Amino acid sequence: MDHSQASESIQQFPTVQDATQLPQDSNIETIIWEKDDKEMVRVPAGKFLSGNKKKEKHLAEFWIDKTLVTNAEYARFVEATGHEPPPHWPGITPQTEITDHPVVYIFWDDAVAYA
């Protein structure tokens, strides 16, 4: 397979700018989130068993990043927005040895601001 054939075989995913543009078509399983160019996957609505007692609950459909947000990615967000960095960073950037690790010690509101 030459380069042109390989590029034709790569699936192109829709690019989405904000939550109002999330596909309603259940055949679309993957999108690219324009804010960070990360691939997101659709988790369909359905029932699951929760807790030790395995109580059945219903979860609405949602979209989630396919890969974790790294400290380096979150640092770009902090620099661009002035958002507070995680408390374990020595300043507005993480230690060099953890830049490729998943960002931790952030709150729900921080994750919503990042998204």
Side-chain angles (χ1 to χ4, degrees), residues 10-19 21-23 28-42 63-67:
I10 296 173
Q11 183 178 2
Q12 296 298 312
F13 302 124
T15 300
V16 175
Q17 293 178 337
D18 63 52
Q21 296 180 327
L22 289 173
I28 297 175
E29 298 291 329
T30 305
I31 60 171
I32 302 298
W33 191 246
E34 189 174 87
K35 289 181 183 179
D36 60 7
D37 290 325
K38 292 187 80 158
E39 189 175 338
M40 296 183 80
V41 294
R42 182 178 72 87
W63 291 83
I64 191 166
D65 281 356
K66 191 172 182 178
T67 59

mmCIF file of all heavy atoms in Angstrom, residues 10-19 21-23 28-42 63-67:
data_model
loop_
_atom_site.group_PDB
_atom_site.id
_atom_site.type_symbol
_atom_site.label_atom_id
_atom_site.label_comp_id
_atom_site.label_asym_id
_atom_site.label_seq_id
_atom_site.Cartn_x
_atom_site.Cartn_y
_atom_site.Cartn_z
ATOM 1 N N ILE A 10 -7.490 6.055 6.150
ATOM 2 C CA ILE A 10 -7.646 6.620 7.487
ATOM 3 C C ILE A 10 -9.009 7.284 7.584
ATOM 4 O O ILE A 10 -9.367 8.119 6.771
ATOM 5 C CB ILE A 10 -6.524 7.644 7.791
ATOM 6 C CG1 ILE A 10 -5.172 6.942 7.799
ATOM 7 C CG2 ILE A 10 -6.781 8.337 9.126
ATOM 8 C CD1 ILE A 10 -4.006 7.882 7.910
ATOM 9 N N GLN A 11 -9.779 6.903 8.583
ATOM 10 C CA GLN A 11 -11.108 7.461 8.760
ATOM 11 C C GLN A 11 -11.019 8.904 9.224
ATOM 12 O O GLN A 11 -10.241 9.234 10.106
ATOM 13 C CB GLN A 11 -11.896 6.641 9.776
ATOM 14 C CG GLN A 11 -13.311 7.133 9.961
ATOM 15 C CD GLN A 11 -14.085 6.274 10.924
ATOM 16 O OE1 GLN A 11 -13.559 5.336 11.490
ATOM 17 N NE2 GLN A 11 -15.342 6.595 11.115
ATOM 18 N N GLN A 12 -11.804 9.773 8.614
ATOM 19 C CA GLN A 12 -11.871 11.168 9.016
ATOM 20 C C GLN A 12 -13.030 11.329 9.990
ATOM 21 O O GLN A 12 -14.163 10.967 9.682
ATOM 22 C CB GLN A 12 -12.081 12.069 7.798
ATOM 23 C CG GLN A 12 -10.927 12.026 6.816
ATOM 24 C CD GLN A 12 -9.636 12.515 7.430
ATOM 25 O OE1 GLN A 12 -9.600 13.556 8.054
ATOM 26 N NE2 GLN A 12 -8.576 11.752 7.261
ATOM 27 N N PHE A 13 -12.740 11.878 11.175
ATOM 28 C CA PHE A 13 -13.758 12.073 12.191
ATOM 29 C C PHE A 13 -14.254 13.503 12.124
ATOM 30 O O PHE A 13 -13.490 14.415 11.822
ATOM 31 C CB PHE A 13 -13.200 11.785 13.585
ATOM 32 C CG PHE A 13 -12.652 10.400 13.744
ATOM 33 C CD1 PHE A 13 -11.348 10.200 14.158
ATOM 34 C CD2 PHE A 13 -13.437 9.292 13.476
ATOM 35 C CE1 PHE A 13 -10.833 8.928 14.310
ATOM 36 C CE2 PHE A 13 -12.936 8.020 13.629
ATOM 37 C CZ PHE A 13 -11.632 7.830 14.045
ATOM 38 N N PRO A 14 -15.530 13.737 12.450
ATOM 39 C CA PRO A 14 -16.024 15.121 12.491
ATOM 40 C C PRO A 14 -15.280 15.919 13.562
ATOM 41 O O PRO A 14 -14.903 15.390 14.599
ATOM 42 C CB PRO A 14 -17.500 14.971 12.880
ATOM 43 C CG PRO A 14 -17.820 13.529 12.834
ATOM 44 C CD PRO A 14 -16.540 12.768 12.805
ATOM 45 N N THR A 15 -15.056 17.209 13.282
ATOM 46 C CA THR A 15 -14.442 18.112 14.246
ATOM 47 C C THR A 15 -15.545 18.910 14.921
ATOM 48 O O THR A 15 -16.442 19.421 14.259
ATOM 49 C CB THR A 15 -13.445 19.061 13.552
ATOM 50 O OG1 THR A 15 -12.436 18.264 12.943
ATOM 51 C CG2 THR A 15 -12.806 20.013 14.537
ATOM 52 N N VAL A 16 -15.480 19.007 16.243
ATOM 53 C CA VAL A 16 -16.525 19.659 17.024
ATOM 54 C C VAL A 16 -15.913 20.800 17.821
ATOM 55 O O VAL A 16 -14.866 20.645 18.440
ATOM 56 C CB VAL A 16 -17.191 18.625 17.973
ATOM 57 C CG1 VAL A 16 -18.201 19.290 18.875
ATOM 58 C CG2 VAL A 16 -17.851 17.524 17.162
ATOM 59 N N GLN A 17 -16.580 21.987 17.798
ATOM 60 C CA GLN A 17 -16.072 23.156 18.512
ATOM 61 C C GLN A 17 -16.631 23.287 19.914
ATOM 62 O O GLN A 17 -15.963 23.777 20.808
ATOM 63 C CB GLN A 17 -16.408 24.429 17.735
ATOM 64 C CG GLN A 17 -15.670 24.532 16.432
ATOM 65 C CD GLN A 17 -16.059 25.778 15.674
ATOM 66 O OE1 GLN A 17 -17.132 26.328 15.877
ATOM 67 N NE2 GLN A 17 -15.190 26.215 14.800
ATOM 68 N N ASP A 18 -17.884 22.898 20.131
ATOM 69 C CA ASP A 18 -18.475 22.987 21.467
ATOM 70 C C ASP A 18 -19.564 21.938 21.612
ATOM 71 O O ASP A 18 -19.938 21.272 20.658
ATOM 72 C CB ASP A 18 -18.991 24.399 21.770
ATOM 73 C CG ASP A 18 -20.108 24.841 20.850
ATOM 74 O OD1 ASP A 18 -21.104 24.106 20.708
ATOM 75 O OD2 ASP A 18 -19.989 25.926 20.266
ATOM 76 N N ALA A 19 -20.075 21.823 22.831
ATOM 77 C CA ALA A 19 -21.025 20.759 23.155
ATOM 78 C C ALA A 19 -22.317 20.837 22.350
ATOM 79 O O ALA A 19 -22.985 19.829 22.156
ATOM 80 C CB ALA A 19 -21.330 20.766 24.642
ATOM 81 N N GLN A 21 -22.536 21.100 19.312
ATOM 82 C CA GLN A 21 -22.301 20.454 18.026
ATOM 83 C C GLN A 21 -22.086 18.949 18.139
ATOM 84 O O GLN A 21 -21.790 18.305 17.139
ATOM 85 C CB GLN A 21 -21.076 21.065 17.342
ATOM 86 C CG GLN A 21 -21.234 22.514 16.987
ATOM 87 C CD GLN A 21 -19.982 23.031 16.308
ATOM 88 O OE1 GLN A 21 -18.877 22.598 16.609
ATOM 89 N NE2 GLN A 21 -20.161 23.955 15.396
ATOM 90 N N LEU A 22 -22.219 18.393 19.325
ATOM 91 C CA LEU A 22 -22.023 16.953 19.465
ATOM 92 C C LEU A 22 -23.009 16.212 18.579
ATOM 93 O O LEU A 22 -24.198 16.545 18.539
ATOM 94 C CB LEU A 22 -22.186 16.517 20.920
ATOM 95 C CG LEU A 22 -21.064 16.940 21.849
ATOM 96 C CD1 LEU A 22 -21.421 16.611 23.286
ATOM 97 C CD2 LEU A 22 -19.751 16.290 21.459
ATOM 98 N N PRO A 23 -22.535 15.217 17.852
ATOM 99 C CA PRO A 23 -23.408 14.497 16.930
ATOM 100 C C PRO A 23 -24.571 13.809 17.647
ATOM 101 O O PRO A 23 -24.386 13.205 18.695
ATOM 102 C CB PRO A 23 -22.489 13.459 16.300
ATOM 103 C CG PRO A 23 -21.109 13.919 16.575
ATOM 104 C CD PRO A 23 -21.176 14.733 17.828
ATOM 105 N N ILE A 28 -22.214 7.789 14.652
ATOM 106 C CA ILE A 28 -20.922 8.445 14.833
ATOM 107 C C ILE A 28 -20.405 8.086 16.216
ATOM 108 O O ILE A 28 -21.026 8.388 17.226
ATOM 109 C CB ILE A 28 -21.046 9.971 14.651
ATOM 110 C CG1 ILE A 28 -21.485 10.282 13.220
ATOM 111 C CG2 ILE A 28 -19.731 10.656 14.986
ATOM 112 C CD1 ILE A 28 -21.747 11.738 12.952
ATOM 113 N N GLU A 29 -19.264 7.423 16.239
ATOM 114 C CA GLU A 29 -18.705 6.929 17.503
ATOM 115 C C GLU A 29 -17.500 7.732 17.964
ATOM 116 O O GLU A 29 -17.099 7.633 19.118
ATOM 117 C CB GLU A 29 -18.306 5.454 17.355
ATOM 118 C CG GLU A 29 -19.467 4.535 17.042
ATOM 119 C CD GLU A 29 -20.443 4.377 18.193
ATOM 120 O OE1 GLU A 29 -20.016 4.449 19.359
ATOM 121 O OE2 GLU A 29 -21.630 4.192 17.929
ATOM 122 N N THR A 30 -16.886 8.515 17.057
ATOM 123 C CA THR A 30 -15.649 9.232 17.372
ATOM 124 C C THR A 30 -15.698 10.625 16.761
ATOM 125 O O THR A 30 -16.186 10.800 15.654
ATOM 126 C CB THR A 30 -14.431 8.474 16.811
ATOM 127 O OG1 THR A 30 -14.452 7.140 17.315
ATOM 128 C CG2 THR A 30 -13.132 9.129 17.217
ATOM 129 N N ILE A 31 -15.192 11.605 17.513
ATOM 130 C CA ILE A 31 -15.089 12.979 17.020
ATOM 131 C C ILE A 31 -13.716 13.533 17.404
ATOM 132 O O ILE A 31 -13.011 12.945 18.218
ATOM 133 C CB ILE A 31 -16.185 13.903 17.602
ATOM 134 C CG1 ILE A 31 -16.083 13.971 19.135
ATOM 135 C CG2 ILE A 31 -17.563 13.496 17.123
ATOM 136 C CD1 ILE A 31 -16.977 15.016 19.777
ATOM 137 N N ILE A 32 -13.362 14.666 16.826
ATOM 138 C CA ILE A 32 -12.165 15.400 17.223
ATOM 139 C C ILE A 32 -12.633 16.684 17.885
ATOM 140 O O ILE A 32 -13.385 17.453 17.294
ATOM 141 C CB ILE A 32 -11.252 15.728 16.015
ATOM 142 C CG1 ILE A 32 -10.832 14.453 15.287
ATOM 143 C CG2 ILE A 32 -10.048 16.553 16.456
ATOM 144 C CD1 ILE A 32 -10.013 13.483 16.121
ATOM 145 N N TRP A 33 -12.218 16.914 19.127
ATOM 146 C CA TRP A 33 -12.581 18.124 19.877
ATOM 147 C C TRP A 33 -11.639 19.233 19.435
ATOM 148 O O TRP A 33 -10.430 19.146 19.627
ATOM 149 C CB TRP A 33 -12.460 17.848 21.368
ATOM 150 C CG TRP A 33 -13.028 18.900 22.251
ATOM 151 C CD1 TRP A 33 -12.331 19.704 23.099
ATOM 152 C CD2 TRP A 33 -14.398 19.258 22.415
ATOM 153 N NE1 TRP A 33 -13.189 20.541 23.773
ATOM 154 C CE2 TRP A 33 -14.465 20.285 23.370
ATOM 155 C CE3 TRP A 33 -15.587 18.808 21.838
ATOM 156 C CZ2 TRP A 33 -15.661 20.873 23.760
ATOM 157 C CZ3 TRP A 33 -16.768 19.389 22.231
ATOM 158 C CH2 TRP A 33 -16.804 20.407 23.183
ATOM 159 N N GLU A 34 -12.182 20.278 18.818
ATOM 160 C CA GLU A 34 -11.370 21.310 18.185
ATOM 161 C C GLU A 34 -10.470 22.068 19.162
ATOM 162 O O GLU A 34 -9.376 22.495 18.808
ATOM 163 C CB GLU A 34 -12.259 22.297 17.438
ATOM 164 C CG GLU A 34 -11.472 23.266 16.581
ATOM 165 C CD GLU A 34 -12.353 24.142 15.747
ATOM 166 O OE1 GLU A 34 -12.766 25.200 16.262
ATOM 167 O OE2 GLU A 34 -12.618 23.782 14.587
ATOM 168 N N LYS A 35 -10.897 22.224 20.408
ATOM 169 C CA LYS A 35 -10.115 23.010 21.372
ATOM 170 C C LYS A 35 -8.726 22.428 21.607
ATOM 171 O O LYS A 35 -7.773 23.162 21.837
ATOM 172 C CB LYS A 35 -10.849 23.131 22.701
ATOM 173 C CG LYS A 35 -12.066 24.021 22.638
ATOM 174 C CD LYS A 35 -12.722 24.113 24.001
ATOM 175 C CE LYS A 35 -13.975 24.945 23.953
ATOM 176 N NZ LYS A 35 -14.621 25.023 25.270
ATOM 177 N N ASP A 36 -8.606 21.097 21.591
ATOM 178 C CA ASP A 36 -7.297 20.494 21.848
ATOM 179 C C ASP A 36 -6.910 19.419 20.831
ATOM 180 O O ASP A 36 -5.906 18.739 21.000
ATOM 181 C CB ASP A 36 -7.227 19.935 23.274
ATOM 182 C CG ASP A 36 -8.259 18.855 23.562
ATOM 183 O OD1 ASP A 36 -8.970 18.423 22.635
ATOM 184 O OD2 ASP A 36 -8.363 18.435 24.724
ATOM 185 N N ASP A 37 -7.708 19.278 19.772
ATOM 186 C CA ASP A 37 -7.457 18.291 18.710
ATOM 187 C C ASP A 37 -7.375 16.860 19.223
ATOM 188 O O ASP A 37 -6.726 16.008 18.633
ATOM 189 C CB ASP A 37 -6.183 18.623 17.920
ATOM 190 C CG ASP A 37 -6.351 19.849 17.060
ATOM 191 O OD1 ASP A 37 -7.463 20.063 16.536
ATOM 192 O OD2 ASP A 37 -5.374 20.599 16.901
ATOM 193 N N LYS A 38 -8.052 16.586 20.330
ATOM 194 C CA LYS A 38 -8.027 15.234 20.888
ATOM 195 C C LYS A 38 -9.240 14.445 20.404
ATOM 196 O O LYS A 38 -10.322 14.974 20.210
ATOM 197 C CB LYS A 38 -8.000 15.278 22.410
ATOM 198 C CG LYS A 38 -6.661 15.838 22.919
ATOM 199 C CD LYS A 38 -6.549 15.737 24.387
ATOM 200 C CE LYS A 38 -6.165 14.328 24.738
ATOM 201 N NZ LYS A 38 -5.554 14.193 26.034
ATOM 202 N N GLU A 39 -9.010 13.155 20.234
ATOM 203 C CA GLU A 39 -10.067 12.251 19.815
ATOM 204 C C GLU A 39 -10.966 11.941 21.012
ATOM 205 O O GLU A 39 -10.484 11.680 22.113
ATOM 206 C CB GLU A 39 -9.433 10.966 19.284
ATOM 207 C CG GLU A 39 -10.384 10.024 18.628
ATOM 208 C CD GLU A 39 -9.679 8.824 18.007
ATOM 209 O OE1 GLU A 39 -8.469 8.904 17.708
ATOM 210 O OE2 GLU A 39 -10.369 7.813 17.827
ATOM 211 N N MET A 40 -12.276 12.007 20.774
ATOM 212 C CA MET A 40 -13.249 11.665 21.802
ATOM 213 C C MET A 40 -14.106 10.510 21.288
ATOM 214 O O MET A 40 -14.335 10.388 20.083
ATOM 215 C CB MET A 40 -14.148 12.865 22.120
ATOM 216 C CG MET A 40 -13.410 14.042 22.706
ATOM 217 S SD MET A 40 -14.518 15.398 23.131
ATOM 218 C CE MET A 40 -15.158 14.787 24.695
ATOM 219 N N VAL A 41 -14.578 9.689 22.199
ATOM 220 C CA VAL A 41 -15.443 8.569 21.839
ATOM 221 C C VAL A 41 -16.781 8.696 22.558
ATOM 222 O O VAL A 41 -16.864 9.220 23.667
ATOM 223 C CB VAL A 41 -14.784 7.202 22.162
ATOM 224 C CG1 VAL A 41 -13.569 6.972 21.299
ATOM 225 C CG2 VAL A 41 -14.431 7.096 23.621
ATOM 226 N N ARG A 42 -17.819 8.219 21.876
ATOM 227 C CA ARG A 42 -19.170 8.264 22.440
ATOM 228 C C ARG A 42 -19.388 7.052 23.333
ATOM 229 O O ARG A 42 -19.068 5.923 22.967
ATOM 230 C CB ARG A 42 -20.206 8.249 21.309
ATOM 231 C CG ARG A 42 -21.651 8.349 21.787
ATOM 232 C CD ARG A 42 -22.616 8.380 20.619
ATOM 233 N NE ARG A 42 -22.716 7.083 19.972
ATOM 234 C CZ ARG A 42 -23.563 6.128 20.350
ATOM 235 N NH1 ARG A 42 -24.369 6.309 21.377
ATOM 236 N NH2 ARG A 42 -23.602 4.994 19.702
ATOM 237 N N TRP A 63 -19.710 11.875 26.028
ATOM 238 C CA TRP A 63 -18.480 11.799 25.242
ATOM 239 C C TRP A 63 -17.299 11.957 26.184
ATOM 240 O O TRP A 63 -17.357 12.721 27.137
ATOM 241 C CB TRP A 63 -18.456 12.902 24.187
ATOM 242 C CG TRP A 63 -19.474 12.688 23.118
ATOM 243 C CD1 TRP A 63 -20.807 13.023 23.175
ATOM 244 C CD2 TRP A 63 -19.270 12.083 21.856
ATOM 245 N NE1 TRP A 63 -21.430 12.659 22.017
ATOM 246 C CE2 TRP A 63 -20.508 12.083 21.180
ATOM 247 C CE3 TRP A 63 -18.158 11.540 21.224
ATOM 248 C CZ2 TRP A 63 -20.661 11.558 19.906
ATOM 249 C CZ3 TRP A 63 -18.318 11.023 19.948
ATOM 250 C CH2 TRP A 63 -19.551 11.030 19.298
ATOM 251 N N ILE A 64 -16.205 11.234 25.905
ATOM 252 C CA ILE A 64 -15.024 11.293 26.761
ATOM 253 C C ILE A 64 -13.766 11.220 25.888
ATOM 254 O O ILE A 64 -13.777 10.576 24.832
ATOM 255 C CB ILE A 64 -15.049 10.151 27.807
ATOM 256 C CG1 ILE A 64 -13.976 10.338 28.869
ATOM 257 C CG2 ILE A 64 -14.944 8.792 27.137
ATOM 258 C CD1 ILE A 64 -14.163 9.449 30.090
ATOM 259 N N ASP A 65 -12.704 11.900 26.331
ATOM 260 C CA ASP A 65 -11.432 11.812 25.613
ATOM 261 C C ASP A 65 -10.971 10.367 25.571
ATOM 262 O O ASP A 65 -11.101 9.633 26.559
ATOM 263 C CB ASP A 65 -10.342 12.646 26.295
ATOM 264 C CG ASP A 65 -10.447 14.131 25.998
ATOM 265 O OD1 ASP A 65 -11.317 14.545 25.205
ATOM 266 O OD2 ASP A 65 -9.633 14.886 26.556
ATOM 267 N N LYS A 66 -10.392 9.979 24.451
ATOM 268 C CA LYS A 66 -9.869 8.629 24.306
ATOM 269 C C LYS A 66 -8.577 8.456 25.108
ATOM 270 O O LYS A 66 -8.261 7.367 25.563
ATOM 271 C CB LYS A 66 -9.624 8.323 22.829
ATOM 272 C CG LYS A 66 -9.322 6.885 22.532
ATOM 273 C CD LYS A 66 -9.295 6.642 21.046
ATOM 274 C CE LYS A 66 -9.034 5.177 20.750
ATOM 275 N NZ LYS A 66 -9.063 4.922 19.308
ATOM 276 N N THR A 67 -7.833 9.540 25.273
ATOM 277 C CA THR A 67 -6.598 9.493 26.045
ATOM 278 C C THR A 67 -6.660 10.505 27.186
ATOM 279 O O THR A 67 -7.433 11.461 27.138
ATOM 280 C CB THR A 67 -5.366 9.809 25.165
ATOM 281 O OG1 THR A 67 -5.529 11.107 24.602
ATOM 282 C CG2 THR A 67 -5.204 8.778 24.060
#
